[in-house]
Amino acid sequence: MTSNPVAPLSLPGKTVVFDYGEVISRTPADSVRDRLLALAGATDIDAFWASYGRHRHALDGGSLSVVDYWRTLASENGLDLSITRIHELWAIDFPAWIDPEPGTVDVIAALHEGGTPLAILSNAGFDYASPLRFSPVGSLFDHVYVSAEMYDLKPNASIYRTVLDELGIEPSAMVFIDNKAENIEGAQELGITGHVFTSPAGLESFLRGLAAPAPSV
C-alpha cells in the first residue's frame, strides 16, 4: 500500500471548500475541442465557442437541460444535431471536465488524512452531481454542492450563504479554493478566506501557511 505523497494537513476550526473544474480536474485538452468541432460540423469556430460559453451559466444554473443546451448551440450555429449526435458530443465534453489533476487530489487526500472537513462547491450541471459525489475523490468530501441543484451560481453571495448555513459555520471558518478570481472575490466579500488556484504546489503552500502557528510576540 502506497502512502499519500503529501503529508497529512490539518486546519483546526476550518472547512475547506473546493471548486471542481480546473481545480480538482484539469483544463480540457485542445484535442477535445477539436473533436467537438469536427463532430458538430461547425465551420465558424469563433461563433461555436461563443455559444458554448454563453449558455454555460444557464446549464450550470439549472435553467437549461443538457439536451437543450446543445440544441441551443445547434440553432445559433446552423447545425443539424440529432439526439444521437448530441449524446456523442456530451460523451466527449462531459469527461473532459472531470479528468483529474493528480496533484490537487493528493492535497485533498492530505487534508482528509489530517481530519480537515471538506466540501465541493461547483458551478456544474445536474449531470455532474453523481461523479462529484460518488467518484473516488468524492468519497473524501463531507458535502457536495452542485450549482444546478441549487438553482444558483458563483459568485452570487446567496450561494456562499447557502453553503455556510448548511455547513453550520461562520464565514471565518471557511476556506474557499477556486480557479476564477471573481468567484474568490465574491466569497471574500462575505469574510471567507479565499485562494485563486493556479497549481497544486501553490495550493499546498497556501494551505500549509494557514496551518502554520502564528509567530510568538
Side-chain angles (χ1 to χ4, degrees):
M1 180 176 179
T2 346
S3 60
N4 184 47
V6 178
L9 180 50
S10 180
L11 296 179
K14 302 289 186 183
T15 296
V16 184
V17 180
F18 281 83
D19 175 35
Y20 194 94
E22 299 179 289
V23 175
I24 300 174
S25 69
R26 295 171 171 167
T27 300
D30 289 342
S31 59
V32 171
R33 294 168 64 91
D34 294 340
R35 291 175 66 200
L36 288 174
L37 286 170
L39 190 60
T43 53
D44 190 332
I45 296 173
D46 291 340
F48 180 85
W49 290 120
S51 293
Y52 179 96
R54 182 164 53 248
H55 300 289
R56 210 74 185 188
H57 277 307
L59 181 67
D60 293 346
S63 62
L64 197 64
S65 71
V66 172
V67 172
D68 286 340
Y69 170 78
W70 287 104
R71 283 179 174 159
T72 300
L73 266 66
S75 175
E76 290 186 352
N77 291 274
L79 307 175
D80 182 16
L81 300 182
S82 66
I83 189 66
T84 302
R85 185 51 50 87
I86 286 172
H87 189 80
E88 290 178 300
L89 290 164
W90 173 84
I92 294 170
D93 188 56
F94 178 88
W97 289 100
I98 58 172
D99 182 30
E101 170 49 73
T104 302
V105 177
D106 287 341
V107 173
I108 291 167
L111 287 163
H112 180 73
E113 289 174 27
T116 303
L118 298 169
I120 289 174
L121 172 59
S122 178
N123 277 359
F126 290 107
D127 47 340
Y128 285 91
S130 183
L132 265 58
R133 289 192 174 99
F134 301 116
S135 62
V137 72
S139 70
L140 303 178
F141 288 89
D142 306 290
H143 302 274
V144 173
Y145 301 98
V146 178
S147 60
E149 296 180 333
M150 304 166 79
Y151 295 98
D152 205 347
L153 286 167
K154 298 175 292 186
N156 297 341
S158 52
I159 200 168
Y160 302 113
R161 291 194 183 104
T162 297
V163 171
L164 290 167
D165 288 346
E166 293 198 10
L167 292 176
I169 60 174
E170 295 298 318
S172 59
M174 177 170 157
V175 178
F176 182 53
I177 313 299
D178 198 293
N179 66 306
K180 292 185 170 62
E182 61 266 31
N183 293 341
I184 292 300
E185 289 162 7
Q188 288 175 328
E189 286 175 4
L190 297 177
I192 295 166
T193 299
H195 173 72
V196 178
F197 177 87
T198 56
S199 70
L203 171 64
E204 184 185 358
S205 176
F206 166 76
L207 292 171
R208 292 207 180 275
L210 292 181
S216 55
V217 290

